[in-house]
Amino acid sequence: MSNVRLGVIGLGNMGTMTANYLLKGEIEGAELAAVCEMYPDRLKWAAGHFPSSVTGFDSIEAMLTSGSIDAVYIATPHFDHPAIAIRAFECGLHVLTEKPAGVYTKQVRQMNEAAARAGTVFGIMYNARTQPLYRKLRELVISGELGAIRRTNWIVTNWYRPQSYYDSGTWRGTWAGEGGGVLINQAPHQLDLWQWTIDMMPRRIRASCYFGKNRDIEVEDEVIAFAEYENGATGQLITSTGESPGTNRYEVVGDRGKLVIEDGNMTFWRLRVPESEFNRTSTDLFRQPECWKCDIPLPKQGKDGHLLTTQNFADAIRTGTPLIAPGEEGIKGLMLSNAMHLSTWTDRWVDLPIDEDLYLSHLEERMRTSRFKRSKDGAE
Amino acid sequence: MSNVRLGVIGLGNMGTMTANYLLKGEIEGAELAAVCEMYPDRLKWAAGHFPSSVTGFDSIEAMLTSGSIDAVYIATPHFDHPAIAIRAFECGLHVLTEKPAGVYTKQVRQMNEAAARAGTVFGIMYNARTQPLYRKLRELVISGELGAIRRTNWIVTNWYRPQSYYDSGTWRGTWAGEGGGVLINQAPHQLDLWQWTIDMMPRRIRASCYFGKNRDIEVEDEVIAFAEYENGATGQLITSTGESPGTNRYEVVGDRGKLVIEDGNMTFWRLRVPESEFNRTSTDLFRQPECWKCDIPLPKQGKDGHLLTTQNFADAIRTGTPLIAPGEEGIKGLMLSNAMHLSTWTDRWVDLPIDEDLYLSHLEERMRTSRFKRSKDGAE
């Protein structure tokens, strides 16, 4: 099969990086065919930087309808992901979008519907799914080594951003510009991994998002979230952009022991017999199951995760390889994020799946009064 | 000043241990003068075990009014602590009670009022306050080394109790017999330390207590609690009797860094300049304050904490030494515990101080329908 001709939309950090590794031939079966960039200076830079085989566009519509590409990689500000993706599907293209796929689940549902109609491949850049730590955790859960999941606790507060970061763009930290704070911009990978690693979504969420607590922003910079699962398990996720040095510690407790990921290491306290079985049979008032502390070996990650995810996308198009993160799954982490906002706004438990229209009405109210104003074409 | 003549009430594990170390002369300025035990076999054992200078009583009232003691140490089941303590104060005695002081804050308030009327010493056996780890943490907080407290996370799930433990007494795990589960019986020390180490009580609490989740009991065996503080700080406390091997990890984040207590060690990630100052002055979008990882040395604990607390009680009576845990502070940890129950029952935030009568009415409802029935004299 011939190479996938890829168009990169948005030449910021991620778009430029991706264009560069495509040009270097690092993705087998794919080639950089076009780039699209709305800022003239940046497009001019691209014309000088990329070979003539790469067509430059200043209009997304022109690129999508040019016939010169088979697929797009979307690396624009995230608010624009859904409209671009849906239009690309209408043009019969395959789509790989940066995370988050959208700002609210209703958008992502529409993206998936458009992909289904087009029958093309829809992938999400959840490149953290390629990390050996999280792949291994998921494998241990799915293979039953941990037993039924009982409780999770993920403290991921190492997303430090000073005020100068938020001040670097007028859209930053605003409802109209970003549609959320740490949940949308910094922690989407963890939100995705939180459900992917244990292979289940919560039944309901109770969260406290703190808006503009440590920074002069409209959106949340600290979140404390509870989750309850159908099987009785509970979970917490704590994230913040205001703490330094921060913590990244993920604890998962199952019927067969406890697993902790911290500092890039994975430790499994493995029970010789499942707790539930021990509990049924033990006659001693204070004894506990025999427990082995096991250091779990992790394979080395051969290549960068971003590159691996793009490779997987190309393989999915060419040979039907299953996607690492199919579009249908983009909704899951976003559902968690939306539920955390909604729980805070309503000061109540939020059942999943959430009421998408209720969420959207709350969000739109905040976007209307946001200090960031969008121009007609959606950009600043 | 002459020795404090101490009467021990209840010859279970704690009472017997305390009587024994008093007899061995391990508490300077105090002596074992009497013991009280309602079970005839146990009292008979005591008569053979203790010297004749120790008077044995089978009636608390008789011991309290005997004139042979100056102070009592109460080590009965905790439901009986308040009535015994109040009667002891009426008799002009000093009181050291095992934790928890009572089952609901209203009781402890009445105990404190009785102590104030008597003008005697009222101490609580919060012996965990003598541990170098927690003393050091409190010292670092109070001295300002950590800066303003931002967030705490205490996972204390190493209170494993199998079903056989709960089955070992009909009162165990029941509302009428214990008035609560892990919050009342296993974790009161951590509830006390949670507020004592950071020197502040929450403004409000939101909690999920899970009743009889992993064990066949009436009361809670798992708790996930949020706290919000007046200064904007947040906190979580997670506890369970159903997990093995469990975790005991206490993370405290301040403006000047992060401190973690785990596995008996204390690590302080110290920021060279406070985060708030760095945030005000930094112009770099992604930089963080310089951070030093410091292992904090801990003094060795010379003696057992229980013994140290009893010694402190004797010193308070004889020389006015400040108590490690005065009676007024017994209400704080219990207030947290009561607030966690109440938040679960009402499925709402609970402001502190709690509505004590509302709490009591909820508790009494559960005691009325409890499978454990108290006899007229309060015992089984």
Side-chain angles (χ1 to χ4, degrees):
Chain A
M1 189 188 166
S2 59
N3 274 356
V4 175
R5 297 170 303 159
L6 206 65
V8 169
I9 307 180
L11 290 174
N13 289 336
M14 305 313 285
T16 306
M17 179 186 83
T18 304
N20 280 331
Y21 67 61
L22 280 161
L23 268 181
K24 285 189 200 152
E26 295 194 46
I27 305 298
E28 199 188 319
E31 60 185 54
L32 182 66
V35 294
C36 182
E37 172 58 50
M38 58 175 289
Y39 288 104
D41 285 358
R42 189 70 186 155
L43 188 58
K44 202 171 153 191
W45 167 88
H49 183 76
F50 297 127
S52 58
S53 60
V54 178
T55 316
F57 291 93
D58 61 0
S59 151
I60 292 169
E61 180 64 20
M63 179 168 116
L64 296 181
T65 55
S66 66
S68 60
I69 56 172
D70 308 307
V72 290
Y73 162 65
I74 306 174
T76 62
H78 53 255
F79 237 117
D80 302 323
H81 295 171
I84 299 171
I86 288 170
R87 184 68 190 122
F89 290 129
E90 288 170 356
C91 297
L93 301 172
H94 308 284
V95 173
L96 175 63
T97 181
E98 267 298 330
K99 54 84 209 168
V103 168
Y104 46 94
T105 53
K106 196 171 180 174
Q107 285 181 320
V108 183
R109 195 171 304 285
Q110 289 163 348
M111 293 162 86
N112 278 308
E113 286 162 6
R117 278 193 299 272
T120 55
V121 171
F122 178 23
I124 300 187
M125 185 52 80
Y126 278 136
N127 47 306
R129 288 193 180 189
T130 66
Q131 288 183 38
L133 270 171
Y134 302 112
R135 297 187 77 81
K136 177 60 89 175
L137 172 54
R138 180 175 154 89
E139 188 259 297
L140 292 177
V141 169
I142 287 176
S143 66
E145 286 285 354
L146 249 83
I149 299 302
R150 299 275 198 86
R151 191 176 55 74
T152 68
N153 181 278
W154 200 341
I155 305 177
V156 51
T157 52
N158 63 343
W159 282 119
Y160 190 70
R161 295 291 183 270
Q163 187 63 42
S164 52
Y165 166 85
Y166 293 107
D167 292 346
S168 69
T170 53
W171 72 92
R172 287 200 194 276
T174 66
W175 287 112
E178 298 210 78
V182 62
L183 292 176
I184 284 289
N185 195 317
Q186 283 79 34
H189 284 302
Q190 283 84 25
L191 290 174
D192 176 56
L193 293 173
W194 194 30
Q195 58 83 23
W196 185 68
T197 52
I198 62 171
D199 202 33
M200 57 182 187
M201 282 284 281
R203 186 171 64 86
R204 59 177 191 163
I205 292 269
R206 186 75 176 77
S208 291
C209 298
Y210 298 89
F211 305 106
K213 178 178 174 180
N214 296 302
R215 301 293 181 258
D216 178 21
I217 55 176
E218 294 175 359
V219 295
E220 78 284 354
D221 53 21
E222 181 178 326
V223 179
I224 320 270
F226 276 176
E228 287 185 351
Y229 298 83
E230 204 56 55
N231 76 343
T234 59
Q236 302 97 51
L237 186 136
I238 296 130
T239 189
S240 169
T241 63
E243 289 182 20
S244 184
T247 295
N248 188 350
R249 180 183 185 277
Y250 185 20
E251 169 172 311
V252 181
V253 178
D255 191 35
R256 301 183 73 100
K258 176 179 83 165
L259 193 143
V260 176
I261 293 178
E262 191 171 14
D263 299 329
N265 300 313
M266 177 180 281
T267 310
F268 181 24
W269 284 264
R270 180 183 185 276
L271 302 181
R272 200 160 169 197
V273 299
E275 190 284 318
S276 55
E277 183 186 329
F278 180 88
N279 182 54
R280 267 198 311 276
T281 53
S282 172
T283 53
D284 190 298
L285 272 58
F286 292 98
R287 258 190 66 221
Q288 297 196 32
E290 184 176 328
C291 180
W292 303 345
K293 184 178 177 187
C294 312
D295 297 325
I296 303 296
L298 298 168
K300 288 271 172 282
Q301 186 167 22
K303 291 182 172 178
D304 172 77
H306 201 279
L307 205 143
L308 287 174
T309 310
T310 305
Q311 181 66 62
N312 167 257
F313 175 65
D315 294 346
I317 295 169
R318 298 179 76 228
T319 65
T321 302
L323 284 168
I324 291 169
E328 294 82 29
E329 300 201 11
I331 216 160
K332 293 186 178 176
L334 191 61
M335 178 80 74
L336 296 173
S337 161
N338 287 185
M340 291 173 194
H341 278 153
L342 193 55
S343 172
T344 308
W345 292 332
T346 59
D347 200 12
R348 294 280 183 282
W349 284 100
V350 168
D351 291 330
L352 269 64
I354 65 165
D355 180 336
E356 299 188 333
D357 291 319
L358 178 65
Y359 178 76
L360 188 53
S361 72
H362 274 279
L363 177 65
E364 283 175 340
E365 188 186 317
R366 281 156 186 86
M367 288 171 63
R368 265 194 303 277
T369 56
S370 175
R371 63 190 180 203
F372 178 71
K373 303 297 172 198
R374 290 191 163 263
S375 63
K376 214 178 57 200
D377 67 347
E380 193 177 357
Chain B
M1 189 188 165
S2 58
N3 274 356
V4 175
R5 297 169 304 161
L6 206 67
V8 169
I9 307 181
L11 290 175
N13 290 336
M14 305 314 284
T16 305
M17 178 186 83
T18 305
N20 279 331
Y21 68 59
L22 280 161
L23 266 182
K24 283 188 200 153
E26 293 193 48
I27 305 298
E28 199 188 318
E31 60 184 54
L32 182 67
V35 293
C36 182
E37 172 57 52
M38 58 176 288
Y39 288 104
D41 286 357
R42 189 71 187 153
L43 189 58
K44 200 171 156 191
W45 168 87
H49 183 74
F50 297 126
S52 58
S53 61
V54 179
T55 316
F57 290 93
D58 61 359
S59 150
I60 293 170
E61 180 63 22
M63 179 167 118
L64 297 180
T65 55
S66 67
S68 60
I69 57 173
D70 306 307
V72 290
Y73 162 66
I74 307 175
T76 62
H78 53 258
F79 238 117
D80 302 323
H81 295 172
I84 298 171
I86 288 170
R87 183 69 190 121
F89 290 129
E90 288 170 356
C91 297
L93 301 172
H94 308 286
V95 173
L96 176 64
T97 181
E98 267 298 330
K99 55 83 205 166
V103 168
Y104 47 94
T105 53
K106 196 170 179 175
Q107 285 181 320
V108 182
R109 196 170 305 285
Q110 290 164 347
M111 292 162 88
N112 278 307
E113 287 162 5
R117 278 193 299 272
T120 55
V121 171
F122 178 24
I124 300 187
M125 184 54 79
Y126 277 136
N127 48 307
R129 288 192 180 189
T130 66
Q131 288 182 37
L133 271 170
Y134 302 111
R135 297 187 77 80
K136 177 60 88 174
L137 172 53
R138 180 175 155 89
E139 188 260 296
L140 293 175
V141 170
I142 287 177
S143 66
E145 286 286 353
L146 249 83
I149 299 302
R150 299 276 198 85
R151 192 175 55 73
T152 67
N153 181 278
W154 200 340
I155 304 176
V156 51
T157 51
N158 63 343
W159 282 120
Y160 190 71
R161 296 288 184 272
Q163 188 63 42
S164 52
Y165 166 84
Y166 293 107
D167 292 345
S168 69
T170 53
W171 72 93
R172 287 201 194 275
T174 65
W175 288 112
E178 298 210 77
V182 62
L183 292 175
I184 283 289
N185 195 318
Q186 283 80 33
H189 284 302
Q190 282 83 26
L191 290 174
D192 176 57
L193 293 172
W194 195 32
Q195 59 83 23
W196 186 69
T197 52
I198 62 170
D199 202 33
M200 57 183 187
M201 281 284 281
R203 185 172 64 84
R204 59 176 192 162
I205 292 270
R206 186 75 175 79
S208 292
C209 298
Y210 298 89
F211 305 107
K213 179 179 175 180
N214 296 303
R215 301 293 180 260
D216 178 21
I217 56 176
E218 293 174 0
V219 295
E220 76 284 354
D221 52 24
E222 180 178 327
V223 179
I224 321 270
F226 276 174
E228 287 185 352
Y229 299 82
E230 204 57 54
N231 76 342
T234 58
Q236 303 96 50
L237 186 135
I238 296 129
T239 188
S240 170
T241 62
E243 289 181 21
S244 184
T247 294
N248 188 351
R249 180 183 184 277
Y250 184 21
E251 168 171 311
V252 181
V253 178
D255 191 35
R256 303 184 72 100
K258 176 179 84 165
L259 193 143
V260 176
I261 293 178
E262 191 171 13
D263 299 328
N265 299 313
M266 176 180 281
T267 310
F268 180 25
W269 284 263
R270 180 182 183 275
L271 301 181
R272 200 159 169 196
V273 299
E275 190 285 320
S276 55
E277 184 186 329
F278 180 89
N279 182 54
R280 267 197 311 276
T281 54
S282 172
T283 54
D284 190 298
L285 273 57
F286 292 98
R287 258 190 65 221
Q288 297 196 31
E290 184 177 326
C291 180
W292 302 346
K293 185 179 176 185
C294 312
D295 297 324
I296 304 296
L298 298 168
K300 288 270 173 286
Q301 185 167 22
K303 289 182 173 179
D304 172 77
H306 201 278
L307 203 143
L308 287 173
T309 310
T310 305
Q311 180 67 61
N312 167 259
F313 175 65
D315 295 345
I317 295 169
R318 297 180 76 227
T319 65
T321 303
L323 284 170
I324 292 169
E328 293 83 29
E329 300 201 11
I331 218 161
K332 293 185 177 175
L334 191 61
M335 178 80 74
L336 296 173
S337 160
N338 287 184
M340 291 173 194
H341 278 154
L342 192 55
S343 172
T344 308
W345 292 333
T346 60
D347 200 13
R348 292 280 183 284
W349 285 100
V350 168
D351 292 330
L352 271 65
I354 65 165
D355 180 336
E356 299 188 332
D357 291 320
L358 178 64
Y359 179 77
L360 188 53
S361 72
H362 274 279
L363 178 65
E364 282 175 341
E365 189 185 317
R366 281 155 186 86
M367 287 170 62
R368 264 196 303 277
T369 55
S370 173
R371 65 188 179 204
F372 178 70
K373 303 296 173 199
R374 292 192 162 262
S375 62
K376 214 178 57 198
D377 66 348
E380 193 177 356

